[in-house]
């Protein structure tokens, strides 16, 4: 709690996430028109709206483990899907990241070795956690659904060793 300092942002900031180098923070910039992905350079303290995300629903941004790309959930009229774009290029465009097309998919977190991603998807009934390889193979339901028992799981994050995943659960 010591040495607190306010970091300038383009607008209201939500869901901050560190770049592997510690030089940047990516976050959700929110205003009345919706959300957009933004990042701030901690050396220059200059925020930058990310050109690859249009105003709308853009949430839960994270950097890939090599720091070259940003992955976030983007949606609107259709279910939110994970998107990927170059973290450094001003003219970057977003492309769908591998995952569960056609299903709501949010809250990505990369394993420490960068080979897997855990994310949240409300399938089959309530938000559950899934893991998969970054190439889209090996999709696996991590949190089991118990019939008749309401379960809600979100906010996954890998442990530094990659052997555990912490998450929020509501019963």
């Amino acid at each position: 709690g010591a040495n607190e300092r306010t970091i300038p942002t383009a607008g209201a900031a939500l869901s901050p996430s560190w770049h592997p180098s510690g030089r940047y923070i990516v976050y959700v910039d929110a205003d009345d028109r919706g959300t957009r992905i933004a990042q701030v350079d901690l050396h220059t303290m200059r925020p930058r709206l990310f050109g690859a995300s249009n105003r709308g629903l853009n949430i839960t941004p994270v950097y890939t483990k090599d720091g070259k790309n940003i992955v976030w959930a983007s949606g609107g009229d259709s279910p939110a899907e994970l998107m990927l774009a170059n973290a450094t290029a001003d003219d970057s465009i977003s492309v769908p990241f591998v995952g569960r097309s056609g299903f709501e998919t949010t809250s990505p977190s990369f394993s420490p070795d960068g080979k897997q991603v855990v994310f949240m998807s409300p399938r089959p009934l309530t938000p559950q956690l899934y893991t998969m390889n970054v190439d889209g193979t090996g999709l696996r339901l991590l949190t089991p659904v118990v019939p008749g028992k309401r379960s809600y799981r979100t906010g996954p994050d890998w442990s530094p060793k990659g052997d555990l995943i912490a998450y929020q659960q509501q019963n």
Side-chain angles (χ1 to χ4, degrees):
N3 302 318
E4 179 181 314
R5 58 185 181 150
T6 301
I7 296 172
T9 59
L14 308 166
S15 300
S17 184
W18 288 98
H19 185 273
S21 71
R23 179 174 175 168
Y24 305 96
I25 293 177
V26 66
Y27 62 95
V28 174
D29 176 80
D31 67 16
D32 291 341
R33 296 169 292 159
T35 57
R36 190 167 172 184
I37 304 303
Q39 70 179 354
V40 62
D41 181 328
L42 298 175
H43 289 179
T44 65
M45 298 304 273
R46 295 173 81 182
R48 171 175 76 95
L49 290 172
F50 199 60
S53 68
N54 297 320
R55 285 277 177 211
L57 175 66
N58 296 282
I59 56 174
T60 63
V62 294
Y63 290 98
T64 54
K65 285 300 170 182
D66 62 8
K68 293 179 182 178
N69 296 293
I70 298 171
V71 175
W72 72 95
S74 180
D77 294 334
S78 59
E81 293 187 52
L82 297 182
M83 302 299 289
L84 174 131
N86 186 308
T88 58
D90 286 332
D91 61 349
S92 180
I93 59 169
S94 59
V95 296
F97 184 67
V98 294
R100 302 185 68 194
S101 257
F103 295 98
E104 187 83 18
T105 305
T106 64
S107 303
S109 176
F110 289 90
S111 62
D113 64 8
K115 294 180 180 179
Q116 290 189 300
V117 63
V118 61
F119 58 89
M120 188 277 299
S121 184
R123 296 296 260 174
L125 300 170
T126 58
Q128 301 299 320
L129 303 181
Y130 291 81
T131 60
M132 72 176 174
N133 300 324
V134 294
D135 66 2
T137 63
L139 179 67
R140 180 173 72 96
L141 175 64
L142 181 68
T143 52
V145 177
V146 178
K149 184 175 182 181
R150 183 174 184 266
S151 60
Y152 181 101
R153 297 166 174 123
T154 190
D157 193 30
W158 291 87
S159 67
K161 290 182 181 178
D163 57 340
L164 300 170
I165 296 173
Y167 57 92
Q168 175 183 330
Q169 177 171 300
Q170 180 184 38
N171 292 340

